[in-house]
Amino acid sequence: MNLAYISLGSNIGNRLEFLQEAVGLLKETKQIEVKRMSSVYETDPVGYVDQAAFLNIVVELETLYTPHELLKKCNEIEDLLGRKRLVRWGPRTVDLDILLYNEENMKTEDLIIPHPRMTERGFVLVPLVEINSELVHPSTKQAFSNIVHDQKEGVHLWKSFDGVDAFVHFEG
Ligand SMILES: Nc1ncnc2c1ncn2[C@@H]1O[C@H](COP(=O)(O)OP(=O)(O)OP(=O)(O)O)[C@@H](O)[C@H]1O
Ligand SMILES: Nc1nc2c(c(=O)[nH]1)N=C(CO)CN2
């Protein structure tokens, strides 16, 4: 069994509902077991800043998928929930990025793990450290809990965690 962390973000339409549907689709997948998830954070847009605030979460999952199979699943969920790729780093209904997969370091044309921009993104680090404060970057060996402090600006708790099932079925 493999342990992976995925970051999810949404900044169009009913943002909470897109995150709920995405986590629901991960949960329904036979080869995936969602083990933990973070609270929901409202976060200032990073990169392309002239867009609405995001809701972001991180989920921990166990999976039988290889990294590329997991990427395919993430892309399927994005497509199913109607993401339109118009602007790089621009608005999206839902975006799923693979952050970590076991302690692997890999660099292929379409998949880089750990996610190359994760260490500079508060919207990733705050929810990641919430669900596992012991995690270490597999190549630099730096503890994420040691770098999260400088990255909290623009990241605000929006809805506290109260269970994966409660989240998926929450009527907002
Ligand atoms: N760890 C990863 N997780 C998800 N996608 C990745 C990863 N590494 C590389 N990619 C590739 O990035 C491609 C483009 O991703 P996407 O359009 O979602 O970028 P983005 O989310 O706008 O920006 P960012 O990559 O900075 O989060 C994906 O189709 C995928 O092939
Ligand atoms: N706050 C925030 N900013 C972003 C996000 C995101 O999920 N949250 N995703 C991006 C592309 O992956 C670019 N910028």
Side-chain angles (χ1 to χ4, degrees):
M1 199 53 92
N2 305 289
L3 189 68
Y5 292 83
I6 294 183
S7 156
L8 295 91
S10 171
N11 78 334
I12 297 182
N14 190 330
R15 302 170 298 170
L16 177 65
E17 211 168 285
F18 283 122
L19 296 180
Q20 289 172 304
E21 286 183 28
V23 174
L25 289 167
L26 289 171
K27 257 170 67 72
E28 278 170 20
T29 306
K30 208 171 70 232
Q31 297 86 344
I32 289 177
E33 191 177 344
V34 176
K35 303 297 284 186
R36 290 194 255 189
M37 66 171 289
S38 68
S39 299
V40 181
Y41 293 86
E42 185 164 53
T43 67
D44 295 347
V46 170
Y48 174 72
V49 296
D50 189 17
Q51 59 178 325
F54 282 76
L55 291 185
N56 281 106
I57 57 174
V58 169
V59 301
E60 178 191 79
L61 45 90
E62 279 183 358
T63 185
L64 294 167
Y65 282 145
T66 64
H68 274 94
E69 288 168 343
L70 186 58
L71 175 67
K72 185 158 165 264
K73 186 73 199 179
C74 290
N75 289 338
E76 271 171 27
I77 293 174
E78 290 175 351
D79 290 344
L80 210 66
L81 297 181
R83 171 175 165 196
K84 300 206 171 55
R85 292 163 196 252
L86 297 176
V87 185
R88 187 172 189 211
W89 292 319
R92 63 269 321 277
T93 51
V94 70
D95 178 34
L96 284 80
D97 287 332
I98 304 173
L99 303 174
L100 301 165
Y101 184 96
N102 297 331
E103 267 102 62
E104 278 191 39
N105 287 292
M106 62 180 286
K107 218 172 239 178
T108 65
E109 202 175 310
D110 59 347
L111 185 58
I112 305 174
I113 296 175
H115 191 286
R117 287 167 287 284
M118 69 179 291
T119 54
E120 42 197 68
R121 291 179 161 177
F123 67 81
V124 166
L125 295 177
V126 172
L128 181 68
V129 167
E130 178 193 345
I131 57 176
N132 188 346
S133 60
E134 315 264 278
L135 279 173
V136 167
H137 191 284
S139 58
T140 65
K141 309 294 178 205
Q142 195 168 33
F144 294 112
S145 58
N146 282 337
I147 53 174
V148 69
H149 309 290
D150 302 332
Q151 314 263 4
K152 290 190 169 165
E153 205 183 304
V155 178
H156 310 283
L157 181 63
W158 192 82
K159 182 180 178 297
S160 294
F161 172 75
D162 65 353
V164 178
D165 287 330
F167 174 74
V168 171
H169 301 294
F170 178 74
E171 303 273 337

